[in-house]
Amino acid sequence: MNVRSQDSALRDLNFQVGPQAQGTSSIVSDSARQELRSIGRERLIVVEDDPVTRTMLVGYFSENNFDVVGAGSCAECRQALRARTDLVFLDLQLPDGDGFDLAKEIQATSNAGIIFVTRRDTDVDRILGLEIAGDHYVTKPINLRDLLARARSVLRRRSIDRKAARNHNSIAFGDWIIDLTRRELLGSDGKPVTLTRAEFDLLAALVGADGRPLSRDYLIEVVSNRQAEVDIRTVDALVARLRRKLVGSGTPVIATVTGVGYKLALSERL
């Protein structure tokens, strides 16, 4: 529903004939406004005990067309998670629990992405957060535009993953079969090929591109999901490692596209 049709619907709902309908009009229109606002919008939860920071994040992401709920504690987050949730911004230091423990709960009960937003900036915390459940680990002070870009990146990747799960995608290319649901790569002998998370994500992106070249910048975004520092050299190193692992047919699996990035050089088939 576009903005114009939403406005028209709201005007129609607000219109009532006669004073007896006034109370009903208020109830119906308020409910309809909430429903209309939520249609087509991803739902975020901001778990932050500092009210100033929480209000800032809720306001900023609301302005950027997200449906946002604020939570000041683990208990409030659990309450908010009863409704569909796409992404959680999670502080580590909360008044009634530890953010890492809450992240494990979220991962066990929800498909929501998790971005840690915290003042704790030690390498140990960062690595632990990414290993436990986090899609990103962001330290304060917060750069709102950077956080928005990270949120959109996580939501886009999770949308792709959900589509793959619904389709139960297994794609054959050359001597290999990649199962996007089980996150497995099988060789011609049916045995799994060991890949790191980043290697699998990069290969899956190339396979899913149907032979179209993908820029290095895009591939940086793909593999930065759980790596703190990713740049062009990281992507080049991952491609080199994949090329060494994907041998057997004599035909290069990943081709370099000069000035652009990389593409899958073999024909994919379902």
Side-chain angles (χ1 to χ4, degrees):
M1 180 180 294
N2 58 34
V3 174
R4 184 182 301 276
S5 61
Q6 287 188 14
D7 290 343
S8 298
L10 291 174
R11 284 196 299 270
D12 292 342
L13 286 166
N14 283 326
F15 176 77
Q16 295 287 337
V17 179
Q20 294 180 344
Q22 191 64 36
T24 304
S25 171
S26 176
I27 295 172
V28 172
S29 61
D30 287 346
S31 174
R33 286 177 190 275
Q34 181 62 41
E35 182 178 353
L36 287 169
R37 279 198 300 267
S38 300
I39 292 174
R41 302 173 68 180
E42 285 110 339
R43 184 173 184 268
L44 315 182
I45 301 176
V46 177
V47 188
E48 167 64 60
D49 64 334
D50 176 52
V52 175
T53 304
R54 186 171 66 248
T55 300
M56 175 185 70
L57 289 174
V58 169
Y60 181 77
F61 279 87
S62 296
E63 291 172 359
N64 280 277
N65 203 36
F66 292 93
D67 182 18
V68 192
V69 176
S73 65
C74 295
E76 291 181 6
C77 177
R78 294 185 187 103
Q79 180 72 22
L81 282 168
R82 293 181 180 180
R84 176 193 60 81
T85 303
D86 298 294
L87 180 64
V88 179
F89 295 120
L90 182 56
D91 194 6
L92 291 180
Q93 296 174 301
L94 297 167
D96 57 347
D98 179 75
F100 286 144
D101 292 335
L102 181 59
K104 293 177 184 178
E105 289 184 37
I106 295 170
Q107 189 179 49
T109 59
S110 169
N111 291 322
I114 299 173
I115 297 180
F116 291 106
V117 182
T118 177
R119 292 193 183 278
R120 286 163 53 174
D121 60 355
T122 68
D123 289 340
V124 173
D125 284 329
R126 183 185 299 273
I127 293 170
L128 181 60
L130 296 177
E131 286 182 346
I132 287 176
D135 293 283
H136 285 288
Y137 191 102
V138 177
T139 55
K140 300 174 182 178
I142 302 167
N143 181 318
L144 290 173
R145 292 183 65 182
D146 175 73
L147 188 60
L148 175 62
R150 290 174 185 266
R152 286 174 171 164
S153 174
V154 170
L155 290 167
R156 184 162 55 248
R157 281 194 295 268
R158 286 183 171 267
S159 175
I160 293 171
D161 288 344
R162 284 194 299 272
K163 290 177 182 177
R166 285 196 297 268
N167 296 333
H168 193 74
N169 281 344
S170 291
I171 302 174
F173 62 102
D175 294 333
W176 299 274
I177 297 174
I178 187 169
D179 189 323
L180 300 178
T181 303
R182 297 180 179 179
R183 294 184 63 84
E184 289 181 346
L185 178 68
L186 303 178
S188 57
D189 56 1
K191 294 181 180 179
V193 179
T194 301
L195 299 179
T196 66
R197 183 187 298 273
E199 288 169 353
F200 185 93
D201 288 344
L202 190 149
L203 180 60
L206 291 171
V207 171
D210 296 324
R212 292 178 290 104
L214 299 179
S215 70
R216 285 181 171 86
D217 288 338
Y218 177 81
L219 292 173
I220 287 173
E221 182 178 309
V222 168
V223 301
S224 66
N225 189 18
R226 294 178 183 271
Q227 295 194 14
E229 298 295 335
V230 174
D231 55 20
I232 289 176
R233 290 174 298 179
T234 305
V235 170
D236 292 341
L238 289 171
V239 169
R241 280 157 45 183
L242 282 170
R243 283 170 169 165
R244 289 194 294 269
K245 292 181 178 183
L246 300 179
V247 294
S249 65
T251 305
V253 175
I254 301 175
T256 301
V257 181
T258 304
V260 180
Y262 298 100
K263 70 175 183 178
L264 197 71
L266 299 173
S267 298
E268 302 95 335
R269 64 183 186 277
L270 290 179

